[in-house]
Amino acid sequence: MAAQIIDGKEIARKVRERLIPRVANLQQQGVAPCLAVILVGTDPASVSYVTAKERALAEVGMTSRDIRLPADTTEEALLEHIRDLNGDPAVHGILVQLPLPSHIDEERILMAIDPAKDVDGFHPLSVGNMVLGRKTFLPCTPHGVLVLLRELGIPTKGAHAVVVGRSNIVGRPLANLLSGKDINATVTVCHTGTRDLASFTRQADILIAAVGRPHLITADMVKPGAVVIDVGVNRVEDPQSKKGYRLVGDVDFDAVLQVASYITPVPGGVGPMTIAMLLQNVLEAAESRLGPVCR
Ligand code: NAP
């Protein structure tokens, strides 16, 4: 029997809907939750991510401060923007869209964001708190994956979760969160140093691909009945499409659909959850500070 296709858009819609009364409650107290979004350069994928985030904020009644900077912006100039936003009580969250141009030290920029406004959860203090299991802003994509599993009622306690990819923004935090006492999965992390990747993926009750390689995960790498979460977003050439490309995940969707019990599509799986969790973080940043109304 074919797997159930996980409707990330619908689950994300539910998450966003739950935020609306909380936003209204803040507005009644004169607070408009506000995210400052900084985009350096005009990379088309980054522009579309930023646009989608800002649209989603507006849809739940939150505001954004859109800061678009030229690709040749200096590191110092960017740091100056961040310092201003850190000190601005009308701004509750700061998001610097990654990747940054290569002349800018990404780590230095992320370190400069006030942890109280670190709604992406990338500051080392947020990461440290997450690892210690303390309350903090969780990184949006890993958090979105956990919420997907929870909303679908997929059992995680004692499950073997195999995470392919160990980036700081997806694989590593996801592996950490899955191994937490509340989720209680047994976690294996795979990467380019892993020998015989398939021998690990085939053991997964929950298989998460966060790699960035189209169709890396094939049907023979998946245990029958496994839950397959595809975080990958890859552009592949498609002359049939108006844009000349289409988006695919890291999983060979059509083939794995026949083996798995649940599977996320790309697009429409994890992506919408990432945005929903960002909105939740912005709201929580505003709730915790009750700053004045955004200009
Ligand atoms: P990344 O920083 O490039 O990390 C990729 C990871 O995959 C690395 O740890 C790498 O291993 C591992 N890897 C690469 N090739 C491999 C292979 N053949 N076998 C095993 N492991 C391999 O990427 P990322 O930022 O984590 O993003 C991963 C994917 O998720 C991308 O397609 C990205 O666009 C997508 N993404 C989606 C969302 C969303 O909201 N849907 C959010 C973020 C990212 P090494 O560490 O050994 O190099």
Side-chain angles (χ1 to χ4, degrees), residues 235-249:
R235 284 186 181 199
V236 293
E237 268 185 45
D238 182 2
Q240 320 277 357
S241 141
K242 255 196 261 165
K243 293 177 179 164
Y245 69 87
R246 69 194 156 85
L247 298 179
V248 300

Side-chain angles (χ1 to χ4, degrees), residues 141 164-167 169-170 190-193 197 210-213 216 231-234 250 270-271 274:
T141 302
V164 189
R166 58 173 163 190
S167 73
I169 61 167
V170 191
C190 299
H191 42 74
T192 55
L197 179 63
V211 181
R213 302 277 179 280
L216 177 76
V231 180
V233 180
N234 307 292
D250 293 337
V270 174
T274 297

Side-chain angles (χ1 to χ4, degrees), residues 17 32 34 55 57 79 108 120 133 152 158 171 188-189 202 268:
E17 211 169 71
C34 175
R55 195 185 314 123
L57 282 159
L79 285 169
R108 205 167 162 227
D120 254 342
L152 291 163
T188 300
V189 183
R202 273 199 289 268

Side-chain angles (χ1 to χ4, degrees), residues 2-8 152 253 257 261-265 268:
Q4 182 176 327
I5 299 173
I6 297 173
D7 188 346
L152 291 163
F253 181 85
L257 182 68
S261 60
Y262 286 91
I263 187 168
T264 55

Side-chain angles (χ1 to χ4, degrees), residues 15-35:
V15 172
R16 292 202 308 263
E17 211 169 71
R18 285 181 216 140
L19 305 180
I20 292 171
R22 287 166 64 184
V23 175
N25 181 40
L26 280 180
Q27 282 166 339
Q28 275 165 11
Q29 299 179 62
V31 177
C34 175
L35 175 67

